[in-house]
C-alpha cells in the first residue's frame, strides 16, 4: 500500500450530481450511467494503474470501485455512495471467476488450499475504526518492509515511528486487507528475487551500489508521469536509498 493522490471529480460525475439529487442517489443507480466509466478510469489514472491496497496492476477484468467507508453507512445527510473522496480503485480480491488468461489467473485468483480474499473482498462491509489506513491519507514515505524469503509484508518500524503512525495500525491494515495471502507473497518474492539478480548481474565491482539502485529505480519508475510497475512499494524497498534518491529527483508525491 502506498499513498494515493486524488484528482478533482470527473466532469461527467459532477454533471450527474448536479442534475440529480446526489444525496438520495445510490451507487447501484449511478453504475447504470455513462458517468460511471469516467469515474472508474479516473480512479485508475490517479492510482497510476495499481490497486490502492495490494498494488497489483489493475486489469480491465479485475478491478472495481472500493468505497473506503461502506455504502451501507450512507444517510440522507451524508451519501458515501457518491462521495468522490470515498472512492478507490481496487482489484476484485482474488475470489471471483473472471475472464483472464491462465497466466493472469494464477496471479490474480487465490487457489485452494490458500483460497483467501484480499483487498476490498477481505474488507467487505467493515467500517473503518481509525486503525485501518486510508491510502488517501498516507505520507509519501514507505511504511512497509518485506521478507526476501517469502514476500511477507510488514511494518517498517523506523518509518512508522518517524511519521507517528502506530505500528499496530499497520499490522491491523495488513491483516484486515489480507495483504499476506499466498499469491501476493509469491508475486512479491518473485520481484525481490528478480531485482536482486539484476543487481548482481549489473554490479561490475566499480559502480557505486546506491547509484546502481538509483539507475534501476529510474528504469522501473520512470518520470512518475505514467503507470507505476506492479508492487511499487516492494520495488521501492529492495532498491532502498537508490529508489529514494530517484523518487526525490522526480518530486514523487504519490
Amino acid at each position: 500500500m502506498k499513498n494515493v493522490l486524488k484528482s478533482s471529480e470527473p466532469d461527467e460525475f459532477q454533471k450527474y450530481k448536479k442534475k440529480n439529487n446526489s444525496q438520495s442517489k445510490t451507487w447501484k443507480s449511478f453504475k447504470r450511467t455513462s458517468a460511471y466509466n469516467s469515474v472508474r478510469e479516473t480512479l485508475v489514472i490517479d492510482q497510476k494503474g495499481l490497486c490502492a491496497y495490494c498494488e497489483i496492476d489493475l486489469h480491465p477484468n479485475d478491478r472495481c470501485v472500493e468505497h473506503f467507508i461502506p455504502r451501507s453507512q450512507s444517510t440522507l445527510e451524508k451519501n458515501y455512495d457518491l462521495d468522490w473522496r470515498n472512492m478507490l480503485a481496487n482489484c476484485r480480491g482474488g475470489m471471483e471467476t473472471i475472464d483472464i488468461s491462465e497466466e493472469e489467473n494464477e496471479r490474480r485468483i487465490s487457489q485452494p488450499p490458500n483460497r483467501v480474499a484480499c483487498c476490498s473482498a477481505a474488507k467487505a462491509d467493515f467500517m473503518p475504526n481509525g486503525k485501518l489506513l486510508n491510502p488517501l491519507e498516507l505520507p509519501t514515505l514507505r511504511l512497509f518492509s518485506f521478507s526476501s524469503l517469502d514476500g511477507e509484508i510488514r511494518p517498517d518500524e523506523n518509518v512508522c515511528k518517524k511519521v507517528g503512525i502506530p505500528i499496530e495500525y499497520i499490522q491491523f491494515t495488513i491483516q484486515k486487507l489480507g495483504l499476506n495471502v499466498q499469491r501476493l507473497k509469491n508475486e512479491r518474492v518473485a520481484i525481490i528475487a528478480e531485482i536482486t539478480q539484476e543487481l548482481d548481474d549489473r554490479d561490475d565491482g566499480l559502480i557505486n551500489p546506491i547509484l546502481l539502485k538509483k539507475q534501476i529505480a529510474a528504469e522501473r519508475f520512470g518520470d512518475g508521469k505514467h503507470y507505476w510497475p506492479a508492487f511499487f512499494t516492494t520495488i521501492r524497498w529492495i532498491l532502498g536509498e537508490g529508489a529514494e534518491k530517484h523518487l526525490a529527483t522526480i518530486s514523487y508525491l504519490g
Side-chain angles (χ1 to χ4, degrees):
M1 182 189 285
K2 58 182 286 300
N3 64 310
V4 169
L5 272 181
K6 195 86 163 175
S7 66
S8 301
E9 291 181 339
D11 289 342
E12 282 190 69
F13 188 40
Q14 290 183 10
K15 291 175 182 176
Y16 171 84
K17 293 203 293 184
K18 287 180 180 178
K19 183 179 179 181
N20 299 276
N21 181 0
S22 61
Q23 284 303 98
S24 62
K25 286 293 183 180
T26 65
W27 181 249
K28 185 176 180 180
S29 62
F30 172 69
K31 283 181 69 175
R32 294 193 289 264
T33 71
S34 60
Y36 170 65
N37 286 330
S38 69
V39 164
R40 287 208 313 168
E41 294 306 318
T42 303
L43 290 172
V44 173
I45 292 170
D46 282 352
Q47 294 169 205
K48 295 185 176 164
L50 302 184
C51 173
Y53 294 154
C54 75
E55 295 186 14
I56 199 169
D57 48 306
L58 290 168
H59 187 282
N61 294 336
D62 182 25
R63 62 180 182 179
C64 63
V65 176
E66 152 78 349
H67 289 75
F68 188 72
I69 297 176
R71 291 182 282 115
S72 61
Q73 300 298 311
S74 289
T75 65
L76 290 176
E77 292 74 32
K78 181 62 177 179
N79 186 1
Y80 292 109
D81 287 46
L82 302 183
D83 181 355
W84 176 240
R85 293 289 303 177
N86 192 42
M87 299 179 194
L88 297 164
N90 266 203
C91 69
R92 292 187 176 276
M95 301 299 285
E96 296 184 27
T97 300
I98 52 180
D99 185 16
I100 51 177
S101 67
E102 183 176 342
E103 180 181 356
E104 284 294 316
N105 187 75
E106 292 180 5
R107 295 183 64 224
R108 298 176 182 280
I109 308 301
S110 293
Q111 305 294 334
N114 300 302
R115 190 159 172 75
V116 182
C118 71
C119 302
S120 54
K123 174 174 165 285
D125 207 33
F126 176 76
M127 177 63 181
N129 57 0
K131 291 184 178 181
L132 187 68
L133 300 182
N134 184 341
L136 297 177
E137 298 173 357
L138 296 183
T140 57
L141 295 179
R142 173 182 52 77
L143 299 175
F144 301 90
S145 61
F146 302 86
S147 166
S148 59
L149 296 178
D150 65 3
E152 181 177 277
I153 186 172
R154 305 164 175 168
D156 187 312
E157 295 188 9
N158 290 332
V159 178
C160 291
K161 290 175 182 176
K162 183 177 180 179
V163 299
I165 295 179
I167 292 169
E168 56 266 30
Y169 288 15
I170 305 286
Q171 294 169 329
F172 179 84
T173 298
I174 291 171
Q175 183 273 326
K176 177 56 67 175
L177 299 179
L179 299 183
N180 274 324
V181 299
Q182 191 60 50
R183 62 183 178 81
L184 294 179
K185 290 168 64 176
N186 292 346
E187 287 287 302
R188 292 192 291 254
V189 79
I191 289 170
I192 292 168
E194 176 187 315
I195 295 179
T196 300
Q197 185 63 54
E198 183 176 3
L199 287 166
D200 186 57
D201 292 344
R202 292 172 61 171
D203 185 359
D204 59 5
L206 300 175
I207 190 170
N208 181 297
I210 295 175
L211 178 58
L212 176 57
K213 289 182 176 181
K214 183 181 178 184
Q215 289 177 356
I216 295 174
E219 293 164 7
R220 291 189 176 247
F221 295 154
D223 59 8
K225 297 178 181 178
H226 306 285
Y227 281 4
W228 296 123
F231 302 100
F232 169 93
T233 302
T234 306
I235 299 171
R236 185 180 184 182
W237 171 78
I238 192 68
L239 294 177
E241 188 177 348
E244 299 309 316
K245 286 181 177 294
H246 174 66
L247 292 174
T249 298
I250 63 173
S251 301
Y252 169 79
L253 293 174

